[in-house]
Amino acid sequence: MSDFVEGLKRGAKAFKRALGPSRYEAANIKVICPHCQNDIFDEGSAQLNTAGASLLNLDWLNKSAKILVCTKCGLIQWFGKSLEKIN
């Protein structure tokens, strides 16, 4: 029973790390904040709206971008291609 509880604890910690701030690479280059040189970011996404799609109420057709928010200074960086989380 003790092994089971320890396994649950390890799994919960890994899950928390996977969802929290992390380090990233874009095109095999480590992402660094150009403002404060921090390398830990929160990840999000943002819609790349276009006037035509918005006018027709079709925003869901627009592409989205990944964003990284620096955990130290808050600078937001936009990425149109995929990011890879590294540890």
Side-chain angles (χ1 to χ4, degrees):
M1 187 68 161
S2 174
D3 291 337
F4 177 73
V5 172
E6 288 302 315
L8 283 177
K9 286 181 183 178
R10 284 193 307 273
K13 286 180 183 178
F15 183 71
K16 185 178 177 183
R17 277 194 312 271
L19 294 179
S22 191
R23 291 176 174 88
Y24 293 86
E25 282 186 350
N28 295 320
I29 300 170
K30 186 176 180 182
V31 178
I32 304 289
C33 178
H35 181 71
C36 70
Q37 306 306 307
N38 185 34
D39 67 344
I40 301 174
F41 300 88
D42 286 314
E43 181 181 351
S45 62
Q47 194 75 23
L48 299 174
N49 291 342
T50 59
S54 294
L55 178 68
L56 299 173
N57 216 12
L58 298 173
D59 288 324
W60 58 273
L61 288 173
N62 290 319
K63 293 182 180 181
S64 61
K66 292 290 184 182
I67 60 168
L68 294 181
V69 182
C70 178
T71 57
K72 187 174 180 183
C73 71
L75 182 77
I76 300 172
Q77 296 185 62
W78 294 64
F79 295 87
K81 296 188 178 188
S82 63
L83 293 167
E84 185 175 332
K85 191 180 272 195
I86 58 174
N87 288 325

